[in-house]
Each structure stands twice: as C-alpha cells, then as structure tokens.
Amino acid sequence: MDTYERLRATAIAMIVRDTPDQFWVDLRELSKITYADAFADVATDRNVLPDQKIDDLLQRRHFRMEKLLIDLAAKYGMSHSMSLIVQNNRRHAYVFKDEVAMTQSYVQAIGSMPQPAKFRERLANAMGLPRLDLGDEPDGAFIMPNVYGVIAHNPVGRRFNADEQKLGTIQLCVPARDFKAWAVELSITEILASYPEAPKKTAPKRSLRWKKPKDNEGTGTDGKK
C-alpha cells in the first residue's frame, strides 16, 4: 500500500468512525432537492434580470447548501460554527465531530479547487493556525481535526435551465496542507460502502398452531359412512 492509499484508508476509517452513515445518505439526497429548489426560486423570480439569473443562482444555492449542512449537523449530533471561517465578510458553515470536520463549496468541475484562491488561502490558514478559545464556540472547535474535508459539488451543466442545473456530482475532498490541490477525493458512494453492513434481523419463527379437531371429526361418529 503506497502513501496515497494509506491516506485514503486512514481518512475513510475516521469518517466511518466519527460520522453516521445516514448523514451521507441524507446529504446526497437532500442536495438534489436543494439544487432543484434553488433553481426554481431563481427561475420564477421576476425581480432578477435574465442575464443575471445564473449569478443569482450561484449565490442562493451557496446559502441553501450552507443551511443544509448545518441542519444535517444538528440532526446527527455534529457540532457546528459560523464564525471560524470568514472570507470577505461571508461566514462559512463549519461542522465537526471528533476528528472529522467539513465545509462545503461549489466547484466548477469535480477535481477543481474552490474559487477564489484567497478563499482557499483562508481555509488553509483556518485549518493550520492555533486559535484563542474565548468560550463562545462548541467544544472541540479549536482542536485541529485529523480529517478536514470540503464537500465539493457542482451542477450537471452551466446553462440556466432545469436539466443543466440539477446536482451533477457531490463528494468529499481532503485538501493538501497548502490547499492548492486535493490530497484525497472520496465519492459518497465509496464512503457509504465502507461502513460495516448492519446485521440482518432474523424474524422469530412462529410455529403453526395445531388445528383443534371439530367435535366428532375423525372419530367415525360424525355421521359419515
């Protein structure tokens, strides 16, 4: 096993240990709904010029995905913060549990890094610098995670129509320390496949009750010859 494979195996092991599998199931399915809802909102908004709808969609979809991530964190017992990562006065959702932490970001293509470069630099700094705990963040927020990943997602295409603005791909990407490249890219399908299979519940065997013979049945006295 080479260094890359060991890194993947270690990341997956921590993800499986520290996050429930249903978190990933919901993330994948609800992201599809979030993409569709955000498109419908912009498409029907008469206050947005046609030439500006795609830009408006990028903004709205970002905030809807932020809310989805926070909602899922609350649902599955993960802590979250909206003040640890701030870029251009925009606060970014940061969720974590034990040694796994995540943010989310649109990417132009799977394999690409989030834009702009200043944002990546801010993320790298946020993950690498010690912070002063003032007591206003959840427990563990100031402990650097062993696995920090970005939930990277993008639509099917680029034109503003319902088919091309559906969710295309969503995966968890673990960046290199300088945040200039992905060290590991993990599809949600791959993550879910790594969880141990839940034991199948065996239904209790029910024995059939013996039929109670009717009166005189089988005695030769039922009147039958």
Side-chain angles (χ1 to χ4, degrees), residues 124-159:
N125 290 339
M127 293 303 105
L129 293 178
R131 308 182 185 97
L132 179 62
D133 190 349
L134 300 177
D136 55 354
E137 293 289 349
D139 290 343
F142 295 90
I143 300 173
M144 294 301 102
N146 280 325
V147 175
Y148 165 67
V150 177
I151 298 168
H153 52 87
N154 65 3
V156 171
R158 296 188 178 184
R159 290 179 294 184

Side-chain angles (χ1 to χ4, degrees), residues 69-88:
L69 183 56
I70 294 295
D71 287 348
L72 289 178
K75 180 178 180 180
Y76 290 107
M78 301 176 73
S79 300
H80 63 271
S81 170
M82 292 298 298
S83 61
L84 291 180
I85 301 176
V86 182
Q87 174 66 26
N88 293 334

Side-chain angles (χ1 to χ4, degrees), residues 24-161:
W24 300 103
V25 174
D26 284 2
L27 175 64
R28 181 170 57 188
E29 297 309 310
L30 294 178
S31 292
K32 296 176 184 177
I33 297 173
T34 298
Y35 261 61
D37 287 349
F39 174 81
D41 287 348
V42 177
T44 57
D45 191 341
R46 297 181 179 179
N47 295 314
V48 181
L49 294 171
D51 290 344
Q52 295 177 329
K53 283 186 179 290
I54 193 70
D55 292 332
D56 189 28
L57 176 58
L58 289 172
Q59 296 289 325
R60 295 198 203 187
R61 192 162 58 204
H62 166 78
F63 292 118
R64 295 285 283 270
M65 288 296 290
E66 292 276 280
K67 186 176 187 303
L68 173 61
L69 183 56
I70 294 295
D71 287 348
L72 289 178
K75 180 178 180 180
Y76 290 107
M78 301 176 73
S79 300
H80 63 271
S81 170
M82 292 298 298
S83 61
L84 291 180
I85 301 176
V86 182
Q87 174 66 26
N88 293 334
N89 295 319
R90 174 182 286 184
R91 296 172 180 268
H92 295 268
Y94 175 77
V95 305
F96 58 96
K97 186 174 187 295
D98 298 329
E99 295 187 80
V100 175
M102 289 169 276
T103 52
Q104 69 81 29
S105 180
Y106 158 83
V107 292
Q108 289 186 334
I110 291 302
S112 301
M113 302 298 293
Q115 298 295 332
K118 281 289 184 183
F119 174 58
R120 299 199 300 271
E121 182 181 339
R122 180 70 185 94
L123 289 175
N125 290 339
M127 293 303 105
L129 293 178
R131 308 182 185 97
L132 179 62
D133 190 349
L134 300 177
D136 55 354
E137 293 289 349
D139 290 343
F142 295 90
I143 300 173
M144 294 301 102
N146 280 325
V147 175
Y148 165 67
V150 177
I151 298 168
H153 52 87
N154 65 3
V156 171
R158 296 188 178 184
R159 290 179 294 184
F160 188 80
N161 61 61

